[in-house]
Amino acid sequence: MKVYLSLGSNIMPDENIDRALEYLKNIVKLKSISTVYKTEPLGNYSNYFYNCVIEGETEIDPFNLKKITTIIETEMGRKIERNKSDDREIDIDILIYDDSIIEELGIPHHDIFEKPFVAAGLCEVAPELKIANTETACDISSKMIKIGMTPLFDYTNKLRAKYIDG
């Protein structure tokens, strides 16, 4: 099944995005990594975030995939009991799972419609993908204001060279 995940970190983000991909490559065949964006912290966060979207393929069903991503987050130091505005080593969200709409998992993920860096990353890796059979990620992204997003091309290229085949 085709899956799209978002990754975000504001605690040692260059190390933790890389580390999360190292974990994920064992459960998802990584096909594409969007540009990684450095984004300004909103609210009570103390550091800038690095955010990206990955495209992959997996045979793991979405419920078990969610469990596994939560285990990865915990392994990397994210607390199970946390405030929404806590700094984080890693945040992994399932944005899209094949063409499924799974309300109890929040798929498609609300961040696609609310966070410009998620919509832009999804647009980059899947420009023709229709979200919930309506508009494309690029349509959604084109309506958003993208202030405070700095593309990290060198870092992105390093990740792509390490994790994406050919």
Side-chain angles (χ1 to χ4, degrees), residues 82-99:
R82 61 187 179 264
N83 292 321
K84 198 88 167 119
S85 62
D86 283 349
D87 290 328
R88 56 199 65 178
E89 288 83 1
I90 196 67
D91 184 28
I92 305 170
D93 291 317
I94 304 171
L95 300 174
I96 302 285
Y97 186 92
D98 209 33
D99 58 358

Side-chain angles (χ1 to χ4, degrees), residues 14 17 41 45 51-52 66 77-78 93 105 121 127 143 145 161:
D14 54 338
I17 295 289
Y45 297 113
N51 296 283
C52 67
K66 177 63 180 165
R78 188 161 180 199
D93 291 317
L105 292 179
K143 298 173 191 170
I145 298 169

Side-chain angles (χ1 to χ4, degrees), residues 26-158:
N26 297 310
I27 59 167
V28 174
K29 179 167 178 29
L30 302 174
K31 305 294 271 178
S32 184
I33 301 171
S34 76
T35 300
V36 178
Y37 290 99
K38 180 178 176 182
T39 58
E40 294 180 8
L42 302 174
N44 295 326
Y45 297 113
S46 61
N47 299 313
Y48 283 88
F49 275 86
Y50 282 18
N51 296 283
C52 67
V53 172
I54 63 168
E55 173 189 17
E57 294 175 355
T58 188
E59 295 303 315
I60 300 169
D61 71 82
F63 292 91
N64 282 318
L65 184 59
K66 177 63 180 165
K67 288 177 189 171
I68 292 167
T69 60
T70 300
I71 290 168
I72 292 169
E73 290 174 334
T74 303
E75 282 280 318
M76 291 184 62
R78 188 161 180 199
K79 297 172 193 68
I80 293 172
E81 298 291 324
R82 61 187 179 264
N83 292 321
K84 198 88 167 119
S85 62
D86 283 349
D87 290 328
R88 56 199 65 178
E89 288 83 1
I90 196 67
D91 184 28
I92 305 170
D93 291 317
I94 304 171
L95 300 174
I96 302 285
Y97 186 92
D98 209 33
D99 58 358
S100 302
I101 297 173
I102 308 168
E103 289 184 26
E104 57 260 63
L105 292 179
I107 299 172
H109 200 281
H110 61 88
D111 282 355
I112 298 167
F113 306 96
E114 297 171 5
K115 296 185 176 172
F117 53 85
V118 173
L122 191 56
C123 172
E124 184 179 342
V125 299
E128 302 301 318
L129 178 70
K130 291 201 175 219
I131 312 303
N133 297 317
T134 57
E135 53 189 348
T136 67
C138 292
D139 293 334
I140 295 165
S141 178
S142 71
K143 298 173 191 170
M144 295 180 163
I145 298 169
K146 295 171 190 72
I147 295 173
M149 291 173 47
T150 304
L152 302 175
F153 296 119
D154 290 343
Y155 179 67
T156 300
N157 290 335
K158 180 180 122 187

